[in-house]
Amino acid sequence: EVQLVQSGAEVRKPGESLKISCKVSGYSFTTYWIAWVRQMPGKGLEWMAIINPGDSDTTYSPSFQGQVTISADKSINTAYLQWSSLKASDTAMYYCARRGGTSHNDYWGQGTLVTVSS
Amino acid sequence: QSALTQPPSASGSPGQSVTISCTGTSSDVGTYNYVSWYQHHPGKAPKLLIYGVTKRPSGVPDRFSGSKSGNTASLTVSGLQAEDEADYYCSAYAGANNPYVFGTGTKVTVL
């Protein structure tokens, strides 16, 4: 069974750093790209970035380039999304998802709620 | 790249059909046959309903169907059921450097 299990909810202050994770199981981690998607409170889905866990090749949405960093550790089948300096506007639910084809995500994690507040 | 345009809301009674539109441009929906649809119940992970404009993943009921004409894609939910009440998002491919453009989302209410 394909599963993407994300790390738990986080509360941070503005300016702090954060790294959240997405551990996959049930398939070969290096075969499919992993996408990160943001949903701000009351808003829609936004694509942030994708990574090929096999070679760590990445593509960032222009909206998120330079704002976040994604990475993957194929030794432990885990993808990461990190911030070096959080802002209040980073408060959102973040989902990882397996990119099943050219443009669709066929399996999703349960989401990680990130709250940034002073 | 702007978000694809969806109606904010749609509704229907149990058993009826509802169709949600997703309007893009000639750079995304109009060029590539890579439109997907997701169902999202608040607090849960989004679920893939349709990919490649018309294809259904295993386990998705055939009550859900997709189509496309020009720059507009559509999702039809036939035989509405109470559990279909959710947010629905379309997504389209817009090139290797922009693999996803999401729609603005549509809240479907089952009356």
Side-chain angles (χ1 to χ4, degrees):
Chain A
E1 180 192 7
V2 173
Q3 288 191 310
L4 288 80
V5 179
Q6 298 185 230
S7 48
E10 302 276 3
V11 179
R12 291 285 189 277
K13 291 181 167 48
E16 293 186 338
S17 62
L18 177 64
K19 192 173 189 177
I20 62 175
S21 66
C22 170
K23 183 170 177 60
V24 315
S25 59
Y27 73 95
S28 173
F29 183 52
T30 57
T31 301
Y32 295 87
W33 292 65
I34 294 287
W36 286 94
V37 176
R38 181 177 78 174
Q39 185 174 37
M40 298 177 74
K43 302 297 184 183
L45 304 175
E46 300 173 89
W47 163 65
M48 300 175 70
I50 54 172
I51 184 166
N52 180 342
D55 60 9
S56 291
D57 185 23
T58 57
T59 300
Y60 288 85
S61 164
S63 300
F64 293 92
Q65 180 81 50
Q67 308 304 307
V68 297
T69 302
I70 59 171
S71 59
D73 185 338
K74 54 189 178 184
S75 70
I76 54 171
N77 293 350
T78 301
Y80 300 96
L81 172 64
Q82 66 181 75
W83 296 259
S84 58
S85 180
L86 286 159
K87 311 183 205 38
S89 57
D90 292 318
T91 294
M93 182 72 84
Y94 294 88
Y95 294 98
C96 65
R98 188 181 86 164
R99 190 182 181 195
T102 301
S103 70
H104 65 273
N105 299 325
D106 55 358
Y107 291 92
W108 293 67
Q110 83 279 18
T112 296
L113 180 62
V114 173
T115 303
V116 184
S117 174
S118 54
Chain B
Q1 181 77 47
S2 299
L4 308 176
T5 302
Q6 298 180 232
S9 62
S11 62
S13 299
Q16 289 187 331
S17 295
V18 65
T19 297
I20 304 165
S21 62
C22 169
T23 301
T25 70
S26 57
S27 297
D28 40 63
V29 176
T31 293
Y32 303 101
N33 288 322
Y34 293 128
V35 178
S36 51
W37 290 89
Y38 301 90
Q39 179 189 62
H40 190 201
H41 289 102
K44 294 194 170 184
K47 176 185 177 184
L48 178 67
L49 294 177
I50 298 287
Y51 67 98
V53 180
T54 61
K55 301 179 180 65
R56 273 189 313 276
S58 174
V60 173
D62 60 7
R63 302 188 295 106
F64 296 92
S65 62
S67 62
K68 189 186 90 164
S69 178
N71 295 340
T72 298
S74 299
L75 172 74
T76 297
V77 185
S78 305
L80 267 175
Q81 299 180 3
E83 59 262 35
D84 297 333
E85 188 160 293
D87 297 319
Y88 291 80
Y89 294 91
C90 61
S91 176
Y93 180 75
N97 290 326
N98 199 7
Y100 307 96
V101 181
F102 281 105
T104 49
T106 298
K107 181 174 182 57
V108 169
T109 301
V110 181
L111 303 171

